[in-house]
Amino acid sequence: MAELSVMDKLVSLCKRRGFIFQSSEIYGGLGSVWDYGPLGVALKNNIKAAWWRAMVQAREDIEGLDAAILMHPEVWVASGHVAGFTDPLVDCRTCKGRFRADHLQGAACPRKPSKHPGEHTECDLTAARQFNLMFKTFMGPMEESAAVVYLRPETAQGIYVNYLNVLQSSRQKIPFGIAQIGKVFRNEITPGNFTFRTREFEQMEMQFFVTPGTDEEWFETWRGLRMEWHRSLGLAAEKLRWHQHGPEELAHYARAAYDIEYQFPFGWQEIEGIHNRTDFDLRRHQEHSGKKLEYFDQAANARYLPYIVETSVGADRVALTVLVDAYREETVAGETRVVLGFHPAVAPIKAAVLPLVKKDGMPERAQAVYQDVRRRWSAFYDDSGAIGRRYRRMDEAGTPFCITIDGETLSDGTVTLRDRDSMAQERVAADRVVEWLGSRIDG
Amino acid sequence: MAELSVMDKLVSLCKRRGFIFQSSEIYGGLGSVWDYGPLGVALKNNIKAAWWRAMVQAREDIEGLDAAILMHPEVWVASGHVAGFTDPLVDCRTCKGRFRADHLQGAACPRKPSKHPGEHTECDLTAARQFNLMFKTFMGPMEESAAVVYLRPETAQGIYVNYLNVLQSSRQKIPFGIAQIGKVFRNEITPGNFTFRTREFEQMEMQFFVTPGTDEEWFETWRGLRMEWHRSLGLAAEKLRWHQHGPEELAHYARAAYDIEYQFPFGWQEIEGIHNRTDFDLRRHQEHSGKKLEYFDQAANARYLPYIVETSVGADRVALTVLVDAYREETVAGETRVVLGFHPAVAPIKAAVLPLVKKDGMPERAQAVYQDVRRRWSAFYDDSGAIGRRYRRMDEAGTPFCITIDGETLSDGTVTLRDRDSMAQERVAADRVVEWLGSRIDG
């Protein structure tokens, strides 16, 4: 049997420990749609909360927003998505495969031996057609008379069309930002690589409105802040890099664009984009809606359309990056140990409490410690199986600390604190456990 | 001009203060779709966090889940939604109006004078047709060959199809529950009453899996817990009541059902449903998927399909209930004061810090207090306009406490703490403000 790839092993671990399940698995699954299990939803919530904290709660110049997924269809005409949010698609008349014309070198023809589409003599590719990635549906009773509406492919437009409402109700002044977390949908031709590219995903986008002329400086500021944020999640610095969009790569709305890329097992890939969108979006919405979207700058006594610096990142993609970055296998005493070495800030469970045996009063002592710990952090109580197996389960769940109640606890009131990464064990008085954990979890 | 209704005034306040905006307003709006502004997203996040805390974090017998909106279409065949998730629809051939056949008494014909559809001599209603409320879309490139998929109309099915995966990865034993918060979509024929009935909304559902025979007891337990939860948000007890579904009202899947109703300005309406769904759902999914969904009960050495007690509530509907319940107008010294009397647990801003004037060192003192307060709670700093106007703005935002820095602060180090509801003012030493707030906000 061929050795499993790291990604295959991660997919398997994610199912086993309840991070990520295939959607509708009992029905054979739905292509490239995934569900988050108990540990997965905790991980993703921790990531979203960290982003919201950094963007909205810690700053006075950014407001939160939660615009709906469904929007007026004219929004997507103005934004350029109806005309241009397309990928070029080719079909193979022979094998009936469907591929992105611009990704043929990354795809495999279903015929054997494995080659790229177009490389077998039998391959018969059609000319490329433009395929729009927006999902559409029908709103209002009766399909024939209903309005065609789209599932938004990005949250940004919800921010642009609401910007004056936010400005007026919050009494912010430029420069200020609006941040949003929410689901988006893209009917990708070739999704894949686990949760890296999926048809339904959650974006975390922030649009920062600035005076024209100050946009380049703000662009640099946001580049710095966003790279710092990814590092604060514990991602390895050497696996993060910048990719600057060249003139041919730049989207129609952008004057400058940098991606933060991460080195996945399947190559360097974008995890976040920082874009200088100029006044492109507000100008388009002003034209299409017929509503003035200018900002009146009291200090300068001037009216203008603000420029926008955007930071756009996928919550699912960050969760996958955190999982990939944390995954490691080690050989310990001749056995393989699988560890998710999460930073405590994102770990779904911060500490586990384990009575060595289910007798001699250990469960009672363990419960007391457990109740103390879970008042402050997400904690887990486990009293079943050999202690070694319980440690391994917590290693796989990415739990940074294990607290073991044993015979010594009964005699001297100390417990064993085990560090997931070093596996070092230390004895600490039971009534100092919270303090010990606090300095390591909350910094 | 006719006097505005309470609901009209609330809609206006929600826009003015940044709670809720109409979706795509600059394009004339999208029917019955709404966006949450800065205060609205904070309010809704507080409600969702309170639910998640009560359901998942405070309990060891409930696991979290975040299943995708898109699911395998067979899920909705098994659940009964493809065949039966319908409302009866009638058209009027004269006025082209479209109405729910079972809600004609609640609808108004567009002809004047205002009457119910069918009551004007010109009314010419069609026979009722069954209209399916699920939004559908097409997944995969090319509409003609793509799979028809639905936008889920409830989160519950995502829990049922994942229940064995959650059970196995979490090592829970029955009785246990799975909780989820997520967007759902229903193509309502007649949405309305602001955010009460919308086509896109967020559900908070918990499915509790129990041994058959224990379901009635668990049903009563969950009824009690859920009513208590609504009261913990500060909702007026006399505006909450139970409605038991009679034999004709019961859904096909339910053996027993109770709604928690709230007395809105537009009548008593459901805000939460508690249902005994028996083994209906798991049995259907077992039949349709061909996969065994039985639970092996080690203690009883028996295999069975668990019964399910469901609690289902809308986050948007709770947010609206909290807004309606909090809204009041009072006459104070001959002027009308509008107040949102939020419970501190859900208030978007817990405290505002207000320097009386922008000089004499007051802003510096105020900033010091503000930084202390915002380390623990969501706080707001406001130094512009007359102090009375600033109080009124905070009353409208539902901020429970205002902290004013004035001349006395400079001389004796005390600040004024103003209670939103009583408008009582109290002087407290600046360095005891956090403690004073703590006992009132965190209880």
Side-chain angles (χ1 to χ4, degrees):
Chain A
M1 202 175 108
E3 206 189 332
L4 286 171
S5 72
V6 171
M7 289 306 293
D8 290 339
K9 289 180 188 171
L10 183 62
V11 171
S12 166
L13 167 63
C14 280
K15 178 177 175 182
R16 187 166 70 246
R17 287 290 158 235
F19 283 95
I20 301 173
F21 309 127
Q22 192 180 13
S23 166
S24 314
E25 192 189 85
I26 63 172
Y27 288 99
L30 186 65
S32 294
V33 180
W34 302 91
D35 295 346
Y36 288 82
L39 294 190
V41 64
L43 174 68
K44 200 172 148 187
N45 282 349
N46 289 344
I47 289 166
K48 290 194 284 184
W51 188 87
W52 195 255
R53 209 158 42 234
M55 285 298 192
V56 179
Q57 292 166 336
R59 297 184 66 106
E60 294 174 55
D61 58 355
I62 300 187
E63 300 288 338
L65 183 76
D66 184 12
I69 290 167
L70 302 175
M71 301 183 75
H72 194 291
E74 190 65 18
V75 169
W76 306 109
V77 176
S79 69
H81 284 80
V82 168
F85 191 59
T86 56
D87 275 339
L89 172 74
V90 298
D91 290 284
C92 177
R93 296 187 186 92
T94 309
C95 73
K96 309 299 179 199
R98 196 155 260 175
F99 312 99
R100 266 181 70 168
D102 54 342
H103 284 188
L104 292 180
Q105 289 303 310
C109 173
R111 300 202 155 220
K112 301 292 162 202
S114 181
K115 289 190 182 179
H116 300 310
E119 292 185 348
H120 288 108
T121 49
E122 300 89 348
C123 290
D124 182 11
L125 301 182
T126 64
R129 288 172 290 172
Q130 288 303 320
F131 170 69
N132 197 299
L133 301 182
M134 286 197 293
F135 281 95
K136 70 178 183 189
T137 185
F138 309 95
M139 184 159 156
M142 301 301 140
E143 209 165 300
E144 70 274 16
S145 62
V148 169
V149 293
Y150 301 98
L151 305 188
R152 66 176 173 204
E154 61 177 35
T155 65
Q157 302 300 326
I159 294 178
Y160 305 143
V161 300
N162 276 304
Y163 117 90
L164 278 187
N165 273 336
V166 172
L167 187 71
Q168 284 153 10
S169 59
S170 68
R171 302 164 67 240
Q172 288 279 359
K173 289 187 174 53
I174 275 177
F176 82 105
I178 304 176
Q180 166 154 2
I181 299 177
K183 280 278 174 88
V184 301
F185 298 82
R186 295 181 183 179
N187 200 0
E188 296 283 354
I189 296 169
T190 46
N193 284 324
F194 197 18
T195 58
F196 182 79
R197 189 179 309 281
T198 56
R199 294 193 169 110
E200 170 183 343
F201 58 103
E202 204 158 11
Q203 278 189 328
M204 306 191 288
E205 294 196 313
M206 192 283 297
Q207 312 291 323
F208 205 74
F209 299 79
V210 306
T211 309
T214 66
D215 48 306
E216 291 181 16
E217 194 179 329
W218 275 111
F219 184 70
E220 291 307 314
T221 300
W222 279 111
R223 279 183 59 199
L225 289 171
R226 295 307 302 150
M227 182 60 95
E228 197 179 293
W229 184 79
H230 288 282
R231 289 185 181 152
S232 77
L233 301 182
L235 298 182
E238 70 277 12
K239 295 199 168 181
L240 292 166
R241 75 175 186 192
W242 287 106
H243 167 70
Q244 180 179 12
H245 285 217
E248 305 95 60
E249 274 177 292
L250 271 183
H252 58 284
Y253 53 75
R255 163 184 287 186
Y258 276 84
D259 294 339
I260 296 177
E261 293 188 336
Y262 180 83
Q263 189 177 22
F264 289 94
F266 44 88
W268 286 96
Q269 298 284 348
E270 176 194 347
I271 56 173
E272 171 149 4
I274 294 103
H275 310 124
N276 182 345
R277 301 182 67 124
T278 71
D279 62 1
F280 175 84
D281 307 279
L282 293 181
R283 188 169 298 283
R284 294 275 294 201
H285 284 299
Q286 182 167 271
E287 284 165 15
H288 281 254
S289 70
K291 297 283 192 308
K292 277 274 178 224
L293 299 181
E294 286 174 343
Y295 173 79
F296 177 63
D297 191 324
Q298 285 188 301
N301 195 28
R303 276 182 202 284
Y304 53 82
L305 283 178
Y307 270 35
I308 292 175
V309 174
E310 165 184 76
T311 75
S312 174
V313 61
D316 308 87
R317 205 170 268 190
V318 174
L320 179 64
T321 311
V322 164
L323 282 162
V324 164
D325 198 66
Y327 185 88
R328 64 174 192 265
E329 296 172 21
E330 297 170 353
T331 304
V332 176
E335 283 188 29
T336 301
R337 172 174 99 116
V338 175
V339 184
L340 287 176
F342 293 135
H343 189 288
V346 296
I349 304 169
K350 311 298 187 203
V353 182
L354 319 170
L356 190 62
V357 293
K358 271 198 260 191
K359 56 180 185 182
D360 301 336
M362 288 187 205
E364 293 74 14
R365 296 295 293 264
Q367 272 294 330
V369 172
Y370 174 60
Q371 298 305 334
D372 271 0
V373 172
R374 72 193 287 263
R375 254 191 290 281
R376 282 198 44 185
W377 303 284
S378 155
F380 186 71
Y381 184 86
D382 187 3
D383 61 8
S384 76
I387 190 72
R389 271 185 67 186
R390 282 182 269 167
Y391 284 148
R392 293 294 179 273
R393 282 200 290 259
M394 285 298 106
D395 290 343
E396 284 198 345
T399 305
F401 306 108
C402 285
I403 304 155
T404 308
I405 280 70
D406 54 22
E408 267 182 80
T409 312
L410 306 179
S411 60
D412 70 3
T414 63
V415 301
T416 298
L417 274 154
R418 172 184 180 270
D419 180 274
R420 173 199 62 207
D421 299 327
S422 67
M423 291 182 286
Q425 303 199 354
E426 187 177 332
R427 293 207 72 89
V428 173
D431 58 8
R432 300 203 54 196
V433 165
V434 167
E435 184 191 337
W436 190 96
L437 290 172
S439 65
R440 284 154 181 87
I441 295 171
D442 304 329
Chain B
M1 201 176 110
E3 205 189 335
L4 286 172
S5 72
V6 170
M7 288 307 293
D8 290 339
K9 290 180 189 172
L10 183 62
V11 171
S12 166
L13 167 63
C14 281
K15 179 178 173 180
R16 186 166 70 247
R17 286 291 158 235
F19 283 95
I20 300 173
F21 308 128
Q22 192 180 12
S23 167
S24 313
E25 192 188 85
I26 62 172
Y27 288 99
L30 185 66
S32 294
V33 180
W34 301 90
D35 295 345
Y36 289 82
L39 294 189
V41 64
L43 174 68
K44 201 172 147 186
N45 280 350
N46 288 344
I47 289 166
K48 290 193 284 184
W51 189 86
W52 195 256
R53 210 159 39 236
M55 286 299 193
V56 179
Q57 292 166 335
R59 297 185 66 106
E60 293 173 56
D61 59 354
I62 299 186
E63 301 287 337
L65 183 75
D66 185 11
I69 290 167
L70 302 176
M71 301 182 74
H72 194 291
E74 190 66 18
V75 169
W76 307 108
V77 176
S79 70
H81 284 79
V82 168
F85 192 59
T86 56
D87 276 340
L89 172 74
V90 298
D91 290 284
C92 177
R93 296 188 187 90
T94 310
C95 73
K96 309 298 177 198
R98 195 156 260 175
F99 312 99
R100 264 182 71 168
D102 54 343
H103 284 189
L104 293 180
Q105 289 303 309
C109 173
R111 301 201 156 223
K112 301 293 163 198
S114 180
K115 288 190 181 178
H116 300 309
E119 293 185 348
H120 288 110
T121 48
E122 299 89 347
C123 290
D124 182 11
L125 301 182
T126 64
R129 288 172 290 172
Q130 289 303 318
F131 171 69
N132 197 299
L133 301 182
M134 286 197 292
F135 281 95
K136 70 177 182 191
T137 186
F138 309 95
M139 183 159 157
M142 302 299 139
E143 210 164 296
E144 69 274 17
S145 63
V148 169
V149 294
Y150 301 97
L151 305 188
R152 68 176 172 204
E154 61 176 36
T155 64
Q157 303 300 325
I159 293 178
Y160 305 144
V161 300
N162 276 304
Y163 116 92
L164 279 186
N165 273 336
V166 172
L167 187 71
Q168 284 153 8
S169 58
S170 69
R171 303 163 68 239
Q172 288 279 358
K173 289 187 173 53
I174 276 177
F176 83 105
I178 304 175
Q180 165 155 1
I181 299 177
K183 280 279 174 87
V184 302
F185 298 82
R186 295 181 183 179
N187 199 0
E188 296 282 353
I189 297 169
T190 46
N193 284 323
F194 198 17
T195 57
F196 181 79
R197 191 179 307 281
T198 56
R199 293 192 170 110
E200 170 183 343
F201 58 103
E202 204 158 13
Q203 279 189 328
M204 307 190 286
E205 295 196 314
M206 192 283 298
Q207 312 292 324
F208 205 73
F209 299 78
V210 305
T211 308
T214 66
D215 47 305
E216 291 181 15
E217 194 178 332
W218 274 111
F219 184 71
E220 291 307 314
T221 300
W222 279 110
R223 280 184 56 200
L225 289 170
R226 295 308 302 149
M227 182 61 95
E228 197 179 295
W229 184 80
H230 288 281
R231 289 185 182 152
S232 76
L233 302 181
L235 297 181
E238 70 277 12
K239 294 198 168 182
L240 291 166
R241 75 175 186 193
W242 287 107
H243 167 69
Q244 181 179 10
H245 285 218
E248 306 94 60
E249 274 176 291
L250 271 183
H252 59 283
Y253 54 74
R255 165 184 285 186
Y258 275 83
D259 293 341
I260 297 176
E261 293 188 336
Y262 180 83
Q263 191 177 20
F264 289 93
F266 44 88
W268 286 95
Q269 298 285 348
E270 176 194 348
I271 55 173
E272 171 149 2
I274 294 103
H275 310 124
N276 181 346
R277 300 182 69 123
T278 71
D279 63 0
F280 175 85
D281 306 279
L282 292 180
R283 188 169 297 283
R284 295 275 294 201
H285 283 300
Q286 181 167 273
E287 283 166 16
H288 281 253
S289 70
K291 296 283 192 306
K292 277 274 176 225
L293 298 181
E294 286 175 344
Y295 174 78
F296 177 63
D297 191 325
Q298 285 188 302
N301 196 27
R303 276 181 201 285
Y304 54 81
L305 284 178
Y307 270 35
I308 291 175
V309 174
E310 166 185 74
T311 74
S312 174
V313 63
D316 308 87
R317 204 168 268 190
V318 174
L320 179 64
T321 311
V322 164
L323 281 163
V324 164
D325 198 67
Y327 185 89
R328 64 174 192 265
E329 295 171 21
E330 297 170 352
T331 304
V332 175
E335 281 187 31
T336 300
R337 172 174 98 117
V338 175
V339 184
L340 287 176
F342 293 135
H343 189 287
V346 296
I349 303 169
K350 312 298 187 202
V353 181
L354 319 169
L356 190 62
V357 293
K358 271 198 260 191
K359 55 180 185 183
D360 302 336
M362 286 186 206
E364 292 73 14
R365 297 294 293 261
Q367 272 294 330
V369 173
Y370 173 59
Q371 297 305 334
D372 271 0
V373 172
R374 71 195 287 263
R375 254 192 291 280
R376 283 199 41 187
W377 303 286
S378 156
F380 186 71
Y381 184 86
D382 187 2
D383 61 9
S384 76
I387 190 71
R389 270 185 69 188
R390 281 183 270 166
Y391 285 149
R392 293 293 180 274
R393 281 201 290 259
M394 284 299 106
D395 290 343
E396 285 198 345
T399 306
F401 306 108
C402 285
I403 305 155
T404 308
I405 281 69
D406 54 22
E408 269 183 78
T409 311
L410 306 179
S411 61
D412 70 3
T414 63
V415 301
T416 298
L417 274 154
R418 173 183 180 271
D419 180 275
R420 173 198 62 207
D421 299 327
S422 66
M423 290 183 287
Q425 302 198 356
E426 184 176 335
R427 293 207 71 89
V428 173
D431 59 7
R432 301 203 53 196
V433 165
V434 167
E435 185 191 335
W436 190 96
L437 290 172
S439 65
R440 284 155 180 87
I441 295 171
D442 303 328

